[in-house]
Amino acid sequence: MNEPVNAAVVGVGSMGRHHARVYSELPNVKLVGIHDVDESQAAEAARDHGTRAVDMETAIDEADVISIAVPTPYHYETARKCIEGGVHVLVEKPFVADVEEGRDLLARAEEAGVTVQVGHIERFNPAIRTLSEIVSDLDIIAIDAQRLGPPPAGRAVDVSAVMDLMIHDLDVLLSIVGDDIDSVAAVGTRDNRYASASIKFGGGIVAGLTASRVTQEKVRKLSITAENCRVNVDYTNQSVEIHRHSMPEYIEDNGDLRYRHESIVERPTVENGEPLKNELRSFVQSATSGSTPVVTGEDGLRVLEIARKIDDLASDMRETEVRLG
C-alpha cells in the first residue's frame, strides 16, 4: 500500500475506543474521523487519538474502511449506509440483531463490491492462530470451552452470556470443525447470565460450551480431546499446550504405593501480539486487496443463528434438544 488507507470509527464506547487507538497506531493507515451520537464522547476520543469528530456523512465520504462499534440494534442501518457509500466495513459482533438483516447487508455488499468482516476477535488471538496450524493433524473427539467471569466494571451488559461471551467460542468452534451441526442442547439460569450448551456435529465430534457473567474468576479456556493427545488453549495467557502419551503407573515410595500419571507436554511457540491489532490489520489487508476476510459476513450469520438457538433453549430453564436441518 503506497497511499495510506483512510479509516474511521463509528461508535466509541469501550470497544470503539480501542478500534480508534489501533487505527492510529497501524502503519499505512490514517484515522480520518470518529463519529458517535454522543458528540462530546466523539470529541474526547478524537482528541485522544489525534483525529477529529465528524458526522456520519463525512465519515463515509472520507474513509476507505470503517469499524462499526455501535450497539447491535443499530448495526444494520449503520452498515447499510457505509456499504451504499462504497466503504468497506468491519462490524463488531454480533453481526446484526436479525439474521434477515444480515443477509440483506451481504447482498448489498456483493452488489457494491465492498468487504464485510465481522469482529470475532478471538480468531486473531495468537493462541488460536497457533491452534489453527496444528488442528488439521488432530483426530478430534471432543471440544470444551469455558468463558467465565464477573460482570465487567464500567460496562453495562444488557445481553445474555450466550450472546456476549459464548458467541466467541462458537465462532472458534465452527472454524475448527467443518461438519454440519446435528443437534444442540442448552440450559441456563439467572436470566442466562450462566448458560451451558452441548453440540453434536454430523461427523461425530461433540462440544461443550459454558459462559458465565456470575462467576468470580475470569476463565478463557478451550480444550480439544483428540485420539492421541489433548490440546489446552488459554486465551488470556495466549498459550497452547499439547499433552501426549499419558502413562499411568503405580510406584512404591518408602513402602507406600502411589499412583501417578506422566505425560509429554509440548508447548508450541505462540507469537506475541494484540488480537485487535491483528484483526484490524487483516481487515485493512482484505479490504485493499479484495481477498476474503478471515471472518466473513457468512461466518457471522452462521454463528448468530446458532447462538440465538442456544439462547432460546437456555431460556427455557430446562434441558431441551432440537434438530438442526
Side-chain angles (χ1 to χ4, degrees):
M1 295 178 290
N2 295 322
E3 294 295 323
V5 175
N6 291 335
V9 177
V10 177
V12 281
S14 60
M15 195 64 191
R17 284 176 180 267
H18 287 297
H19 280 251
R21 171 184 58 80
V22 170
Y23 279 132
S24 70
E25 295 171 351
L26 286 178
N28 297 315
V29 174
K30 180 181 180 182
L31 181 62
V32 295
I34 288 173
H35 174 72
D36 196 285
V37 292
D38 185 332
E39 294 182 359
S40 63
Q41 188 163 285
E44 179 186 350
R47 286 193 301 271
D48 289 344
H49 301 296
T51 187
R52 59 202 174 106
V54 297
D55 57 32
M56 189 68 190
E57 291 72 21
T58 301
I60 292 172
D61 287 343
E62 297 190 4
D64 304 307
V65 300
I66 288 180
S67 281
I68 296 172
V70 298
T72 304
Y74 304 103
H75 281 187
Y76 171 76
E77 185 64 25
T78 307
R80 184 182 62 79
K81 290 178 180 178
C82 295
I83 290 168
E84 289 176 348
V87 181
H88 307 286
V89 292
L90 185 149
V91 185
E92 267 300 339
K93 65 84 185 169
F95 179 25
V96 284
D98 179 79
V99 171
E100 290 306 316
E101 291 180 342
R103 293 194 179 111
D104 180 68
L105 286 180
L106 296 183
R108 291 174 182 270
E110 183 176 5
E111 183 177 353
V114 302
T115 296
V116 175
Q117 180 168 318
V118 181
H120 284 287
I121 193 171
E122 293 292 23
R123 287 263 213 117
F124 299 89
N125 188 305
I128 293 301
R129 287 185 158 187
T130 297
L131 178 66
S132 67
E133 296 172 0
I134 64 176
V135 74
S136 61
D137 296 327
L138 302 178
D139 184 4
I140 298 175
I141 297 170
I143 300 174
D144 296 288
Q146 291 185 312
R147 192 168 291 263
L148 320 171
R155 180 168 75 90
V157 178
D158 57 0
V159 294
S160 72
V162 176
M163 301 307 299
D164 186 40
L165 298 177
M166 189 184 291
I167 195 167
H168 286 293
D169 297 309
L170 282 169
D171 176 67
V172 172
L173 176 66
L174 295 180
S175 73
I176 292 172
V177 184
D179 301 331
D180 292 333
I181 290 177
D182 184 17
S183 63
V184 177
V187 64
T189 189
R190 300 294 180 95
D191 297 323
N192 281 3
R193 287 183 292 154
Y194 186 103
S196 293
S198 299
I199 298 175
K200 182 178 180 180
F201 290 88
I205 295 173
V206 296
L209 303 96
T210 302
S212 171
R213 276 297 186 205
V214 294
T215 301
Q216 295 303 314
E217 179 189 9
K218 185 174 181 179
V219 178
R220 302 285 188 271
K221 294 184 178 180
L222 179 142
S223 297
I224 297 177
T225 298
E227 190 66 36
N228 296 310
C229 68
R230 176 179 171 89
V231 182
N232 294 327
V233 175
D234 190 313
Y235 290 96
T236 304
N237 296 337
Q238 297 185 359
S239 64
V240 178
E241 292 185 344
I242 305 172
H243 294 253
R244 302 185 190 273
H245 307 299
S246 180
M247 299 294 291
E249 64 176 345
Y250 288 93
I251 60 172
E252 187 174 341
D253 183 13
N254 293 326
D256 294 330
L257 194 62
R258 301 179 184 274
Y259 178 79
R260 72 179 183 186
H261 267 272
E262 287 191 353
S263 62
I264 298 172
V265 181
E266 301 173 14
R267 294 179 175 84
T269 300
V270 177
E271 295 184 2
N272 294 327
E274 181 186 359
L276 182 60
K277 189 163 288 187
N278 293 338
E279 179 181 53
L280 295 189
R281 186 185 295 113
S282 177
F283 168 52
V284 171
Q285 176 62 30
S286 294
T288 55
S289 68
S291 59
T292 302
V294 173
V295 185
T296 65
E298 289 80 3
D299 293 336
L301 282 182
R302 187 182 182 208
V303 171
L304 177 63
E305 287 183 293
I306 298 166
R308 291 283 187 214
K309 178 60 65 178
I310 289 172
D311 209 25
D312 289 343
L313 289 172
S315 295
D316 287 342
M317 294 295 293
R318 62 182 185 274
E319 193 167 343
T320 315
E321 185 173 282
V322 295
R323 293 280 171 181
L324 297 181

